Amino acid sequence: MLSLLRIKNIALIDELGVEFGPGLNLLTGETGSGKSIIVDSLNALTGERVTSDLIKEGSESAKIEGLFTLPITKPLFRILDESGIEIDAEGEVDLIVRRELSVSGRNRIFINNQLITAAVLKRIGPFLVDIHGQGEQSSLFDLASHMELLDAFAGVSTERAKVASAFGEWRTAKIELDDLKRDEAGKLQLADILKFQVEELSRAALKRGEGEELEEEKLRLNNVEKLSKLSTDAFSALYEMDGSTVATLDPAILRIKELAEFDARFREYIEGLESAAALLEDISFTLRDFRGGLEYSPDRLEQIENRLAEITRVSRKYGGTVELALEHFAESEKRLSNIEMSELRERELNAILAEKRENYVAAASALSSKRQTAAKKFEREVESNLKAVALEKAKFEVHFTGGEDADFTSNGFDRIEFFFSANPGESPKPIAKVASGGEASRLMLILKTSGRSIADGTAAVFDEIDAGIGGRVAEAVGLKLKSLAEGQQVLCVTHQAQVASKADRHFVVEKTIGKNKTVIGIRELDKAERIEEIARMLAGEKITEAARDNAREMLAVA
């Protein structure tokens, strides 16, 4: 349930706060008074995208904040727990959701003062508010929405997940088989090209790092004389000549050891000096061996030059680097193998595809069966609820087409379409062909509420879903909303007096135009104010006593 809504610096709103209660909360007001801004603000609290355009002109920032009281369900607890929001695992929880907007684009979202991402709020949004907006009945003409409405009623999320998984596996196998068949058309020409490339790359025998190693060897061969002198001089200075570093270091270490027997300060140097002596001996022998292995070889230098040229030529031809050439080699070998083994692989893929198809058909059939079972119940419930909105003779049917021979999709092979007839004697036809605007509004209300769980604590918001109706029909819609509000909180924006008269709490949204300033406010009406507001809705700008009497009667009946 939405208990409190605060809005600051949004559109024409300076600052606004309103407390909602359980039952049916009605918002009324003149056209353009700002009711839709309040609904848009609620949309923002469910994770819908907002831009800095929403910020009031002249302001640097804006804020939307809502207090929601919700029962803890396992899915909600899991999302909150994953987001680091600490709550009890049972009972009810108060969630304070806040969105802070900035003209700089640095927007932030908080739940109970814990910073979260827009993606997390998007996941939590369905637990907070279920918003049905203006003109939403137009979605009835989109067949995809028919499947979504039926599936929500049928509760087939598990079955749909299985179908989506099976579809992914079937599609992967089909794509591979299709690619193989495309290669088949030009496989002889492609095989010749691939064989040449594989043989050339195989002969080249490229290795990662070989070029760098050969360049180092080439550098040494071109500098044998210099390297020989450097290593000889270094070896002599360190080890060979009289007074070499190694020769003088050992006696020095012995004397320092003797000093350490008399003064502890020298002990800490002994280990380091012994390590230095070992290191000097090691590098001395390395220098000696290096010098002994130096030999100028014109033949070896020519071999290196030729090999480097071959590496460069092949690398440039197949990608520009040794790594890319090796990747091309591996890919070409794989493609050649696929072509050479295409008949065998095609038989394998056909068997795999048949298996994946069988798995998909089984999952899709199970989903379809559950949908069709639920559809019968859905038809009865919708027709029963249509009576409550002055469509007593209406007929509603769920039609299935498709099946195993239809195109496969991640949602199954069913094609679902709602058929409707408002008048007796007329057979149901596709909704897009027969439903008027008023009928579509009422039908959308029923479809959105039929079979809906009323124990989840989610507030239902209807933004002028009663548009295009009036009189007895508006009365019926009001009663339906009132009935719905017995089990959950309902917020409704309306221009219908018959609907407004059913409110448990009635709020009016007002726009005040002052000097160079327009301000939007909202306030809850008392009994006398409700009479005036409903009379205004009935009579228009000039309120008559007859309109007031009518308003009193409507409130008394409600």
Side-chain angles (χ1 to χ4, degrees):
M1 183 178 80
L2 172 63
S3 303
L4 176 66
L5 177 66
R6 294 186 184 277
I7 304 171
K8 184 176 181 180
N9 293 336
I10 294 292
L12 298 175
I13 297 174
D14 279 339
E15 191 163 1
L16 176 152
V18 56
E19 294 185 23
F20 296 107
L24 181 56
N25 297 258
L26 264 298
L27 278 69
T28 63
E30 297 279 3
T31 300
S33 60
K35 301 182 293 299
S36 292
I37 298 175
I38 296 173
V39 176
D40 290 342
S41 298
L42 278 174
N43 256 319
L45 294 183
T46 66
E48 292 298 318
R49 184 175 178 272
V50 294
T51 66
S52 58
D53 294 340
L54 205 59
I55 300 174
K56 184 178 176 66
E57 187 174 348
S59 300
E60 293 296 318
S61 62
K63 182 171 67 175
I64 306 168
E65 188 174 38
L67 170 61
F68 299 86
T69 303
L70 305 170
I72 292 298
T73 61
K74 288 183 179 179
L76 177 59
F77 178 80
R78 183 170 61 252
I79 297 171
L80 293 173
D81 187 54
E82 290 172 356
S83 305
I85 301 170
E86 296 183 2
I87 58 169
D88 294 329
E90 297 179 353
E92 287 189 336
V93 63
D94 288 336
L95 295 182
I96 301 174
V97 183
R98 184 171 78 253
R99 292 195 74 163
E100 297 178 353
L101 313 179
S102 168
V103 292
S104 66
R106 297 175 61 185
N107 303 332
R108 299 188 298 175
I109 305 173
F110 299 86
I111 292 185
N112 290 358
N113 282 326
Q114 172 74 44
L115 186 65
I116 64 168
T117 64
V120 171
L121 182 59
K122 190 75 172 177
R123 294 174 64 195
I124 296 173
F127 296 94
L128 305 176
V129 181
D130 186 15
I131 298 177
H132 313 297
Q134 295 183 49
E136 194 175 4
Q137 60 270 18
S138 62
S139 67
L140 282 178
F141 306 141
D142 177 11
L143 297 190
S145 69
H146 296 193
M147 178 181 289
E148 297 301 324
L149 287 165
L150 177 61
D151 284 354
F153 176 84
V156 291
S157 57
T158 301
E159 288 78 5
R160 280 185 59 154
K162 290 179 180 178
V163 168
S165 176
F167 173 77
E169 294 177 2
W170 169 82
R171 187 169 181 271
T172 299
K174 188 175 186 303
I175 289 172
E176 186 175 351
L177 182 59
D178 290 343
D179 288 344
L180 184 64
K181 288 180 177 179
R182 274 197 302 272
D183 279 349
E184 188 77 18
K187 73 174 185 178
L188 294 177
Q189 181 181 1
L190 181 60
D192 287 341
I193 296 172
L194 290 173
K195 281 179 183 176
F196 174 82
Q197 294 179 352
V198 167
E199 288 173 2
E200 185 175 35
L201 285 163
S202 181
R203 285 195 305 270
L206 299 178
K207 297 177 183 177
R208 288 182 172 84
E210 182 186 8
E212 290 78 2
E213 292 175 2
L214 290 173
E215 288 288 356
E216 288 182 7
E217 187 179 354
K218 176 183 172 182
L219 183 64
R220 288 196 299 272
L221 286 172
N222 283 323
N223 293 275
V224 166
E225 185 177 344
K226 182 177 181 181
L227 293 173
S228 178
K229 184 177 187 309
L230 288 171
S231 57
T232 298
D233 291 349
F235 177 69
S236 179
L238 288 172
Y239 193 84
E240 194 173 38
M241 63 183 289
D242 293 338
S244 67
T245 304
V246 171
T248 58
L249 182 60
D250 285 342
I253 293 174
L254 288 175
R255 286 164 178 72
I256 291 171
K257 284 182 177 179
E258 291 179 12
L259 283 171
E261 294 177 2
F262 297 95
D263 192 328
R265 286 179 297 173
F266 295 100
R267 291 175 189 168
E268 62 184 88
Y269 296 103
I270 293 173
E271 183 178 352
L273 289 169
E274 289 177 340
S275 295
L279 179 64
L280 288 169
E281 280 195 8
D282 184 56
I283 193 172
S284 296
F285 297 146
T286 300
L287 286 165
R288 181 193 63 193
D289 295 341
F290 177 77
R291 181 187 63 185
L294 288 173
E295 181 182 357
Y296 179 71
S297 172
D299 290 340
R300 177 56 183 161
L301 188 59
E302 184 179 1
Q303 290 175 1
I304 292 174
E305 294 282 8
N306 291 338
R307 180 58 179 165
L308 286 172
E310 176 69 358
I311 291 173
T312 301
R313 183 187 70 82
V314 176
S315 298
R316 284 178 177 174
K317 188 173 181 180
Y318 295 105
T321 65
V322 170
E323 287 73 16
L324 290 175
L326 288 172
E327 288 179 14
H328 184 86
F329 183 35
E331 180 64 24
S332 296
E333 281 190 315
K334 179 181 176 182
R335 292 182 67 192
L336 182 59
S337 175
N338 284 342
I339 291 174
E340 292 174 342
M341 303 292 290
S342 61
E343 291 185 6
L344 175 60
R345 183 56 180 162
E346 186 172 348
R347 288 196 295 273
E348 290 177 351
L349 283 174
N350 276 317
I352 292 171
L353 186 63
E355 178 189 354
K356 299 303 182 184
R357 186 183 194 283
E358 186 177 338
N359 293 342
Y360 175 83
V361 169
S365 296
L367 173 60
S368 181
S369 177
K370 193 163 184 179
R371 279 171 172 162
Q372 293 189 49
T373 299
K376 299 300 180 185
K377 183 179 178 183
F378 190 53
E379 288 172 345
R380 292 193 296 272
E381 184 161 340
V382 170
E383 285 189 355
S384 175
N385 286 328
L386 284 171
K387 295 175 183 177
V389 290
L391 288 170
E392 297 87 349
K393 305 297 183 181
K395 296 292 183 182
F396 176 81
E397 295 176 355
V398 181
H399 283 221
F400 285 80
T401 55
E404 288 187 41
D405 295 330
D407 291 338
F408 291 174
T409 74
S410 59
N411 294 327
F413 47 56
D414 289 324
R415 304 293 178 269
I416 297 171
E417 184 170 9
F418 295 159
F419 279 46
F420 175 75
S421 171
N423 305 307
E426 293 183 359
S427 60
K429 293 182 176 62
I431 288 175
K433 295 181 179 179
V434 296
S436 66
E439 290 166 351
S441 296
R442 283 176 282 170
L443 185 55
M444 175 56 79
L445 172 63
I446 297 305
L447 291 174
K448 284 286 189 178
T449 57
S450 290
R452 175 186 166 83
S453 170
I454 60 175
D456 61 2
T458 305
V461 178
F462 295 93
D463 184 14
E464 298 188 28
I465 200 166
D466 52 5
I469 61 175
R472 184 178 72 91
V473 175
E475 176 75 14
V477 170
L479 290 171
K480 177 60 182 175
L481 289 169
K482 183 74 171 179
S483 173
L484 181 65
E486 291 175 2
Q488 69 179 122
Q489 184 189 45
V490 175
L491 279 67
C492 181
V493 176
T494 183
H495 287 287
Q496 301 294 336
Q498 293 88 339
V499 176
S501 66
K502 306 297 186 293
D504 294 306
R505 303 186 74 175
H506 188 161
F507 301 85
V508 65
V509 181
E510 299 170 314
K511 181 164 65 176
T512 305
I513 301 177
K515 186 177 181 180
N516 299 324
K517 189 175 184 181
T518 302
V519 178
I520 290 176
I522 185 172
R523 58 189 177 88
E524 185 175 3
L525 303 180
D526 59 25
K527 184 176 180 180
E529 289 171 328
R530 286 191 69 192
I531 292 172
E532 287 297 306
E533 175 63 8
I534 292 173
R536 180 197 64 77
M537 297 172 75
L538 289 168
E541 185 177 351
K542 186 176 181 180
I543 302 175
T544 65
E545 218 30 68
R548 291 188 179 93
D549 290 340
N550 197 359
R552 291 188 188 96
E553 183 178 350
M554 292 173 70
L555 288 169
V557 171

